[in-house]
Amino acid sequence: QAKDMGRHTYRFFKPAMNEKAVERLSIEADLRRALEREELELHYQPKIDLTTGLTCGAEALIRWNHPTRGWIPPAQFIPIAEDCRLILPIGEWVLGEACRQAQRWAEAGLWFGTMAVNVSAVQFCELNFAQRVFAILSQAGMDPKRLELELTESVLMKGTESTAPNLQTLRSEGVQMALDDFGTGYSSLSYLERFPVDCLKIDQSFIRQISAVGAKSTLVTTIINMAHTLKLRVVAEGVETKEELQFIKNRGCDEGQGYYFSRPLPSSVFTQRLLLSNSV
Ligand code: C2E
Ligand code: MG
Ligand code: MG
Ligand code: MG
């Protein structure tokens, strides 16, 4: 009986695991070619200043148009890219492309505030990360003050010896540093003391279906107040409804981002949006 069960379990799990491993290897192989084949693309999601209602920034979000699988979301391939360190060339490309796009908008007289780029822990832990960023900025001709780098708490948790120097060097040149998905990691507050940043992005799970009563509302209110005490900007991620917007606005949150305002947009569509609302 036990043997039967064992065999059954074996049959049940082995093919599924193989399938997953094979799939992963195939994605890894395709990802190696994705850059040179120009299958990667950036979409841009506006960030809205909640006092003026104007677009005050954009977050660059990577998209992969796979030749046979179609669009693959970043959650499916970024972790693989991190494991095999392909995130280094990919991340480098993302930074360059986002900075070039920001500069194109600036030169067209379309003011858009800051360009935010997500940075993986693997990238940020590279010894020369800050220097790479400065090289990319100067190639694009972009003012460091208009770049914002979004790190997750995992970056600070890993905290290699280059973490604090990278952070400090970047900030000393005016690059804005934001902590992404805030509230989903561990003991966030102690990290803020060791690794100072400019901005907190409250994770969308806290914003979703928020109501005036309940634990979420207390948490969000507390995070906003705490951030302001520490002189940090606060962005609410994943704002989908008018109610969620009202809630964060009433509590003094600085910026909002989410489907309520706009989904991430291809650069051409984002340009149209800027032409309509933000031209100077
Ligand atoms: P993130 O940086 O926290 O980005 C926010 C994610 O939430 C994006 O998903 C965005 O499309 C989605 N989102 C925005 N507003 C709403 C909303 O109102 N409702 C809902 N349900 N979702 C919303 P996306 O583009 O699939 O990216 C997922 C994650 O992948 C990002 O989370 C980020 O961690 C990572 N990622 C994306 N692009 C890059 C990149 O260029 N480099 C690195 N290292 N990571 C990236
Ligand atoms: Mg982000
Ligand atoms: Mg986030
Ligand atoms: Mg996220």
Side-chain angles (χ1 to χ4, degrees):
Q1 182 107 32
K3 202 178 150 200
D4 276 359
M5 249 179 76
R7 200 186 293 151
H8 181 75
T9 323
Y10 177 79
R11 279 215 198 100
F12 184 77
F13 283 107
K14 184 106 189 266
M17 277 167 64
N18 270 341
E19 221 171 87
K20 233 186 147 187
V22 168
E23 160 121 344
R24 214 185 145 89
L25 279 175
S26 130
I27 289 190
E28 186 181 322
D30 292 347
L31 201 48
R32 280 186 199 284
R33 272 159 273 170
L35 259 180
E36 56 194 71
R37 291 185 184 171
E38 298 183 22
E39 292 164 5
L40 301 178
E41 202 179 296
L42 295 183
H43 283 196
Y44 300 91
Q45 188 177 37
K47 291 186 188 176
I48 309 298
D49 181 326
L50 295 181
T51 25
T52 62
L54 292 175
T55 303
C56 61
E59 176 175 2
L61 293 158
I62 198 167
R63 301 289 179 258
W64 181 11
N65 192 6
H66 188 281
T68 56
R69 295 168 194 265
W71 292 98
I72 304 181
Q76 260 172 48
F77 70 86
I78 292 287
I80 298 177
E82 286 174 335
D83 280 352
C84 63
R85 297 181 72 78
L86 271 174
I87 193 68
L88 294 175
I90 291 174
E92 183 108 351
W93 175 81
V94 170
L95 265 165
E97 181 66 15
C99 290
R100 285 190 293 276
Q101 181 60 69
Q103 203 48 29
R104 281 196 287 274
W105 281 326
E107 280 161 16
L110 298 167
W111 183 84
F112 67 92
T114 55
M115 174 63 82
V117 176
N118 293 286
V119 173
S120 141
V122 179
Q123 280 175 281
F124 198 81
C125 290
E126 288 287 282
L127 269 172
N128 62 348
F129 178 73
Q131 280 66 42
R132 295 301 314 145
V133 172
F134 296 141
I136 289 167
L137 278 165
S138 80
Q139 262 166 37
M142 183 178 167
D143 181 348
K145 291 185 188 65
R146 309 196 49 191
L147 178 65
E148 181 160 65
L149 299 180
E150 297 191 359
L151 309 175
T152 56
E153 287 165 273
S154 67
V155 175
L156 309 185
M157 270 168 58
K158 276 192 184 170
T160 66
E161 63 206 64
S162 54
T163 306
N166 269 335
L167 201 62
Q168 208 210 329
T169 312
L170 286 161
R171 290 186 78 217
S172 69
E173 294 296 317
V175 175
Q176 305 273 307
M177 303 301 299
L179 209 45
D180 205 350
D181 305 338
F182 187 77
T184 58
Y186 310 87
S187 66
S188 330
L189 289 175
S190 61
Y191 293 122
L192 286 179
E193 209 199 348
R194 267 176 70 202
F195 306 111
V197 296
D198 305 280
C199 173
L200 292 188
K201 297 189 75 179
I202 306 176
D203 189 67
Q204 45 181 286
S205 56
F206 295 99
I207 307 300
R208 189 67 16 79
Q209 289 167 347
I210 204 165
S211 64
V213 291
K216 271 188 190 172
S217 84
T218 313
L219 271 169
V220 169
T221 308
T222 307
I223 295 174
I224 294 173
N225 293 338
M226 175 202 77
H228 284 161
T229 307
L230 297 169
K231 307 231 164 12
L232 305 178
R233 260 183 316 123
V234 199
V235 182
E237 293 193 282
V239 179
E240 287 187 358
T241 67
K242 205 181 168 100
E243 290 69 38
E244 290 162 2
L245 167 62
Q246 271 318 320
F247 184 93
I248 54 164
K249 210 175 152 179
N250 288 342
R251 278 153 188 84
C253 188
D254 304 288
E255 295 169 25
Q257 191 181 351
Y259 296 170
Y260 179 76
F261 304 108
S262 168
R263 291 189 174 249
L265 306 168
S267 60
S268 59
V269 182
F270 198 98
T271 305
Q272 290 307 310
R273 199 190 138 92
L274 288 175
L275 281 166
L276 289 172
S277 62
N278 269 44
S279 61
V280 283

